[in-house]
Amino acid sequence: RGGEMESDEFYAAHMPSASEGSEALASIWEKPAAVREYERSQYAALRESKSALSAAQLRNCYAWTQSKNSVTFAVWLQGSLEETTVEVREPGHVCVETEGFAAVIDDDLSRGIDPTRDADSVSWEHMDVLCFKVFKAVPGERWERLFTSDSYMSRAADFRPYEWLERDDETSVRLSVRAVGPASATITSEKLVVSCAAWEAPLVKHFKWRVDPEASSWTTTAAGLELNLAFETMPDAPERRLFVEDEDGMLCGVVAEMMALIDYGETRWRRLDRLSPVAQNLFAAFLPPHLRDQYAFDDDDEFDDPQSILDWWDDQYPGRDDPGDDDDDDDEEEDDDE
């Protein structure tokens, strides 16, 4: 990649595996000082690079979920909460900056927020993560991206825009992209771009390993697109790690899905056994049901609407199965290294 830092070096090598036992899991829950320093130095190096791949890697610093009425997002902190300044300004600008460091977030939300309702926040400072909840200006509106600079569903921890299909061989991967209306794809050696007339921004995914564009292909289907990606080489890794944007080394995605379960409940969102392995292990080891209220947002009106959030999202795909129901096969392949 022309001297670029490998994404797995940045995101996963410094973190223990949740499957290595209670000691390793504890170091995920209570992030060690050495890991904090490593992450800060690598983050600074990525900002200095200013390349497209580095920009994709920097997306690892946040993740988000949504319900009909609200949006929750988790942001990585470079220092203590006391040294962090947070601004959420109308109509929807967010700035999260720690003293002595460049801002992690300084961007406009893709949609407006309700000015009559205050944003809420919950600190996961032991994991260097701060969670926010803002309320949609238009209840029921489906947000396709968190920030205006994001691609379609970038860093969304709840609604994945693609599904893995069976592998043809060790270096070829097939996946389907859900789309309503005309759609097309561009496949280069470094990234995948899917455009759809109904989306406000294209889906963009950078590959962790180089792809052979000539051997790759895409076709239209009734549900959207089906793609065949022919990698030049590919280590034996879980499929979810083929894209840089799907990495979660800062654990923002894990925290976002844990907050969603606490805030929305298993019935309205996703069962505990459908979460990532790391989230399941952290819940089991550190957040049994009787302790979860300490991480809950103050506002509890999410339970006023009994409809499943996943069903609500799936209403835009007539005749399609629930996107959350096809997680079972993927969960078996997901890596515990975060």
Side-chain angles (χ1 to χ4, degrees), residues 310-321:
L310 297 177
D311 287 345
W312 160 73
W313 179 262
D314 205 43
D315 285 346
Q316 64 183 305
Y317 302 109
R320 296 283 290 159
D321 293 332

Side-chain angles (χ1 to χ4, degrees), residues 55 94 142 153 166 174 182 197 199 201 251 263 270 291 293-294 320:
V94 177
R142 295 181 181 89
M153 300 310 290
E166 242 179 76
R174 290 193 302 122
W199 299 344
L251 298 174
D263 197 34
R270 180 172 280 127
L291 295 179
D293 282 350
Q294 63 184 304
R320 296 283 290 159

